[in-house]
Amino acid sequence: PPAPAPPAATADDKLLLRRARNREAAERMRRRRREEHDSLTRSVRELTARVAALEHALAASQAEVAALRGAGATAATVPGATAVSGGAQDKPELANASDMALAGQY
């Protein structure tokens, strides 16, 4: 806090001191508001970039899923998968949509 004015200070002196303190406070407030605005602008820019990256990754994953479903997901198209012999006898009949969802065939 500023030092108290000497007792001989006139009303004009007090007014000038008050105006000076007010100017300083207003400048601090403007600086703080500007810093806050800059910080929020940076956050928006970073989050926008993150959303774009996530949307790109999602689109790539969805395309991969669609390609795998369309290709029948053979061992050659799925990295790390091993070939399994089988035919209709290996696949039980699925009764309804909930069974299909549980089996991963939606």
Side-chain angles (χ1 to χ4, degrees), residues 38-104:
D38 292 345
S39 173
L40 289 172
T41 301
R42 268 192 308 277
S43 294
V44 166
R45 202 172 324 135
E46 291 168 2
L47 291 172
T48 300
R50 185 173 178 197
V51 165
L54 290 171
E55 286 175 343
H56 179 73
L58 175 62
S61 295
Q62 289 173 335
E64 181 181 5
V65 166
L68 292 173
R69 285 191 178 152
T74 63
T77 61
V78 179
T82 57
V84 176
S85 65
Q89 72 276 7
D90 289 342
K91 296 181 182 178
E93 188 67 32
L94 298 175
N96 57 34
S98 64
D99 289 341
M100 289 172 49
L102 290 173

Side-chain angles (χ1 to χ4, degrees), residues 10-29:
T10 64
D12 286 338
D13 291 338
K14 289 180 182 180
L15 180 63
L16 291 174
L17 281 173
R18 191 176 77 190
R19 285 180 180 169
R21 283 193 308 266
N22 190 43
R23 267 194 306 277
E24 292 168 4
E27 180 57 36
R28 281 192 308 271
M29 179 59 75

